[in-house]
Amino acid sequence: MKFSELNLNDNVLEALDAMMFDECTPIQAEAIPIILENKDLIAVAQTGTGKTAAFLLPVLNKLSEGKHTPDKINTIIMSPTRELAQQIDKEMEGFGYFVSVSSVAIYGGNDGIAFAQQKKGLTLGADVVIATPGRLLSHLNLGYVDLSHVEHFILDEADRMLDMGFFEDIMQVVKCLPKERQTIMFSATMPSKIQKLASSILTNPEVIKLSVSKPAEKILQAAYVCFENQKLEIIRTLFNNEDAKKSVIFASSKLKVKEVARELAKMNLRVGEIHSDLDQKNREQMLQDFKSNNIDILVGTDIIARGIDIDDIGLVINYDVPNDSEDYVHRIGRTARANHEGIAITFISEKDQENFYEIERFLEKEIFKIPLPAELGNAPTYDPKNNSPRKQQYNKRPARNKNKN
């Protein structure tokens, strides 16, 4: 579908034409008409599907008509991280060049001057506020932010916000909003906690769920079947055999991230770590060091699975098997971007075999299992049906005595 087939006004279509946007992505084709009709919406779509334009364009379309209250905050877009807020703000600037709409980005990790500039934008009443939850709440608590005229409340990557512990912050902001508003929620996944949030803040929402796309063809996928205590030695072997590509390693918890990063540093590898214990300033500095090649390897939790937009990552390692297929696709999608090739390697311990088998079923193919280097010893057999935690728990039950009277 072309943008010209949607009910967008001439100002927005002119902006799209100048930016050489012609064809809608599937999420844009489905979401834009719903948002233009002022309906609440839950949209489940991956990063990279064009979702930012899917909510920006209809909001800009309404604002360009000039029917909103001037000098008041009309739209709030909340994002989980400073990096994503900056990306949204950048797209807003691109579209806003052709549509007379004011906006301000509100996020932490900067100095007092920036805070003062944010305060000025909020008190003057920017049409669109793009904010991280914690920083917006900081301004709200100081008493000078008026949200009584907000017509559109948008949560981008809502699942990440909940993963990062922002549920209470979101609900505090919601208490300051008018009950009569349009609420739009974008999420890459739809777990029960997202459904709970949606039922709390949305009214009779439309639901769009795009199927998870398969990984890019240029990603070479492979795996090691191994014991937990063999994983670090596999990494040592991988990086001893060739120069370290720019690499991302995903682990299941922040404690494991710290442990892996510490052990890689002992191997004299240039490594950094990102997890929720780091404040925004340190997370941003770590990402900048990674982008500028000051470090070669970045170890992190799923907090970065949809937050890194770097084109030259050559290798992704899943130190632990992700919980589901969607997380797997997001993780390995950090490589093979912008027509580059990439490698994704997953370490499969016994307890993770059933999860990985489900990922293979989703991919509709078997991932090649690389034999362990001989010096690391024997590997467990890849037998997902018998190595499932449920099966093992069942096998550990004491046998019932059928002859008991």
Side-chain angles (χ1 to χ4, degrees):
M1 178 183 284
K2 294 182 181 295
F3 284 108
S4 56
E5 297 176 61
L6 299 174
N7 192 27
L8 296 169
N9 64 39
D10 290 342
N11 291 332
V12 175
L13 290 174
E14 183 182 352
L16 289 165
D17 184 58
M19 297 171 75
M20 294 184 289
F21 286 8
D22 184 33
E23 295 280 344
C24 303
T25 66
I27 189 62
Q28 291 163 357
E30 291 197 46
I32 289 174
I34 293 171
I35 298 173
L36 287 174
E37 290 175 8
N38 288 317
K39 295 178 180 178
D40 284 8
L41 171 67
I42 305 172
V44 181
Q46 294 173 252
T47 299
T49 55
K51 61 184 177 58
T52 304
F55 60 75
L56 280 183
L57 289 172
V59 167
L60 287 171
N61 191 85
K62 294 178 185 181
L63 290 170
S64 68
E65 293 171 353
K67 297 177 182 178
H68 58 287
T69 306
D71 303 324
K72 299 291 183 182
I73 297 170
N74 175 274
T75 301
I76 294 177
I77 302 169
M78 291 180 65
S79 73
T81 65
R82 173 178 179 168
E83 295 80 23
L84 182 58
Q86 289 172 324
Q87 290 176 35
I88 297 170
D89 188 41
K90 187 174 181 181
E91 288 202 41
M92 181 73 192
E93 287 180 7
F95 292 122
Y97 184 80
F98 301 89
V99 181
S100 182
V101 172
S102 62
S103 65
V104 60
I106 309 294
Y107 46 75
N110 41 35
D111 56 24
I113 295 175
F115 191 93
Q117 291 172 337
Q118 294 172 9
K119 177 182 177 181
K120 182 178 180 181
L122 290 167
T123 52
L124 289 176
D127 296 319
V128 179
V129 172
I130 304 156
T132 54
R135 180 48 64 97
L136 179 58
L137 201 56
S138 296
H139 285 284
L140 272 171
N141 289 337
L142 291 172
Y144 47 74
V145 182
D146 178 12
L147 301 184
S148 63
H149 291 79
V150 170
E151 296 181 11
H152 313 290
F153 181 52
I154 301 168
L155 299 176
D156 191 17
E157 299 201 0
D159 50 349
R160 285 183 71 198
M161 279 194 268
L162 296 192
D163 287 342
M164 295 169 69
F166 285 133
F167 179 83
E168 292 300 328
D169 288 354
I170 292 169
M171 297 311 294
Q172 285 291 105
V173 173
V174 168
K175 288 178 183 177
C176 300
L177 300 175
K179 289 186 178 180
E180 294 295 322
R181 65 175 189 272
Q182 182 182 36
T183 304
I184 301 160
M185 198 161 75
F186 279 78
S187 180
T189 57
M190 193 67 168
S192 57
K193 57 189 176 183
I194 285 292
Q195 296 174 35
K196 178 184 175 183
L197 176 63
S199 65
S200 300
I201 66 173
L202 280 79
T203 303
N204 300 322
E206 298 284 328
V207 179
I208 299 170
K209 187 167 185 179
L210 299 186
S211 59
V212 180
S213 60
K214 299 294 193 290
E217 290 295 327
K218 291 191 175 183
I219 303 175
L220 175 62
Q221 299 176 65
Y224 285 96
V225 180
C226 59
F227 293 107
E228 189 70 25
N229 61 6
Q230 293 172 319
K231 291 180 178 180
L232 284 170
E233 290 307 312
I234 297 172
I235 291 179
R236 187 191 302 274
T237 302
L238 288 171
F239 289 113
N240 276 347
N241 290 342
E242 57 180 279
D243 293 335
K245 297 181 175 70
K246 183 174 283 189
S247 308
V248 175
I249 300 176
F250 289 102
S252 59
S253 69
K254 61 188 177 185
L255 290 176
K256 194 170 285 188
V257 167
K258 294 174 185 178
E259 174 192 339
V260 172
R262 183 171 60 249
E263 293 301 317
L264 298 190
K266 291 178 183 177
M267 299 178 196
N268 295 319
L269 296 170
R270 299 195 306 163
V271 61
E273 61 189 70
I274 284 192
H275 45 74
S276 58
D277 279 354
L278 295 181
D279 62 27
Q280 189 68 44
K281 183 176 181 180
N282 287 328
R283 286 207 301 266
E284 183 170 330
Q285 184 59 54
M286 196 66 71
L287 278 174
Q288 185 55 46
D289 287 343
F290 188 53
K291 288 178 182 179
S292 57
N293 299 315
N294 292 327
I295 58 176
D296 300 313
I297 304 167
L298 187 62
V299 188
T301 57
D302 281 314
I303 195 173
I304 57 172
R306 296 184 294 274
I308 296 181
D309 189 18
I310 300 173
D311 290 338
D312 58 344
I313 295 171
L315 173 65
V316 169
I317 296 175
N318 291 312
Y319 194 87
D320 304 293
V321 175
N323 288 327
D324 56 41
S325 303
E326 292 186 45
D327 289 337
Y328 179 82
V329 172
H330 286 309
R331 285 185 181 188
I332 73 170
R334 299 311 95 202
T335 190
R337 297 168 73 87
N339 292 319
H340 290 85
E341 295 182 347
I343 300 171
I345 297 174
T346 303
F347 297 163
I348 313 169
S349 63
E350 285 181 293
K351 68 179 177 62
D352 287 333
Q353 289 191 14
E354 185 180 23
N355 266 2
F356 194 75
Y357 177 67
E358 290 302 319
I359 291 170
E360 289 182 308
R361 288 184 61 190
F362 167 76
L363 298 174
E364 298 179 330
K365 70 176 183 179
E366 184 177 347
I367 301 299
F368 174 68
K369 314 301 187 300
I370 306 171
L372 276 185
E375 63 270 21
L376 298 188
N378 294 326
T381 302
Y382 185 61
D383 186 6
K385 293 182 181 178
N386 288 317
N387 282 330
S388 75
R390 289 191 294 270
K391 181 77 172 179
Q392 290 177 358
Q393 187 66 33
Y394 178 82
N395 290 338
K396 288 177 182 177
R397 290 179 182 175
R400 295 168 61 186
N401 187 350
K402 296 182 180 179
N403 297 322
K404 186 177 179 180
N405 292 327

